Amino acid sequence: MTADLHLRSYVDRIPFARHLGFEITRFEGGESELRYTAKPEHLNTFDVTHGGAVMTMLDIAMAAAARSDTPETGVVTIEMKTTFMAPSVGPLIARGKLMHRTATMAFTEARIYDAQERVCAHATGTFKYVKRRLPTGPASANEMRPPSTD
């Protein structure tokens, strides 16, 4: 699969990201970029993007950065620390970066910027590389098992 196909299909394979309306615009060389504008139902009581949507965007940006060097390998989040620095309002851009990797672990960071390029949130995360899960479902002999973090 080419890098362009990975870019176009990455978010489509994540149902929650598709539901929120994330668009990935960069997925290569240990870097990622996502774009998102919160819908009214994604806002909190202060009319800013809900922290859960912000954290999801950061998580996916970091995971995409970790996977961008080896798109055929999946990742699972081991830990994540998020700092909210300013209200996330309007169109948002998340930029993720792979800081360091080992054979099994990725150490990442991501920032969310508003339309004026102000940093709204920052996160660091650790991800474990995992093999892609085998097909499951009624026609498959494979049972449904989430990836292991062991």
Side-chain angles (χ1 to χ4, degrees), residues 105-120:
M105 302 295 280
F107 303 90
T108 63
E109 73 172 355
R111 290 181 173 86
I112 291 183
Y113 300 86
D114 65 13
Q116 289 74 42
E117 286 289 317
R118 291 182 293 229
V119 178
C120 301

Side-chain angles (χ1 to χ4, degrees), residues 52-71:
V54 169
M55 290 181 75
T56 299
M57 191 177 188
L58 289 164
D59 181 51
I60 291 173
M62 291 187 294
R67 287 192 60 202
S68 67
D69 278 342
T70 53

Side-chain angles (χ1 to χ4, degrees), residues 1-13 24 26-28 64 67-73 132:
M1 191 179 281
T2 68
D4 185 50
L5 286 174
H6 282 301
L7 175 66
R8 285 185 284 135
S9 67
Y10 183 76
V11 170
D12 286 339
R13 293 185 193 162
I24 190 159
R26 182 170 173 80
F27 181 71
E28 64 183 344
R67 287 192 60 202
S68 67
D69 278 342
T70 53
E72 66 283 350
T73 305
R132 300 289 302 210

Side-chain angles (χ1 to χ4, degrees), residues 39-130:
K39 297 174 187 158
E41 59 269 26
H42 302 157
L43 304 179
N44 64 20
T45 57
F46 299 105
D47 289 328
V48 302
T49 306
H50 190 281
V54 169
M55 290 181 75
T56 299
M57 191 177 188
L58 289 164
D59 181 51
I60 291 173
M62 291 187 294
R67 287 192 60 202
S68 67
D69 278 342
T70 53
E72 66 283 350
T73 305
V75 295
V76 293
T77 309
I78 298 300
E79 65 83 30
M80 179 175 166
K81 180 192 184 299
T82 304
T83 304
F84 299 97
M85 298 155 60
S88 298
V89 179
L92 302 174
I93 297 174
R95 295 188 182 111
K97 183 170 178 133
L98 175 62
M99 304 301 292
H100 177 72
R101 76 167 284 175
T102 68
T104 60
M105 302 295 280
F107 303 90
T108 63
E109 73 172 355
R111 290 181 173 86
I112 291 183
Y113 300 86
D114 65 13
Q116 289 74 42
E117 286 289 317
R118 291 182 293 229
V119 178
C120 301
H122 174 263
T124 57
T126 306
F127 294 80
K128 180 175 174 153
Y129 289 101
V130 295

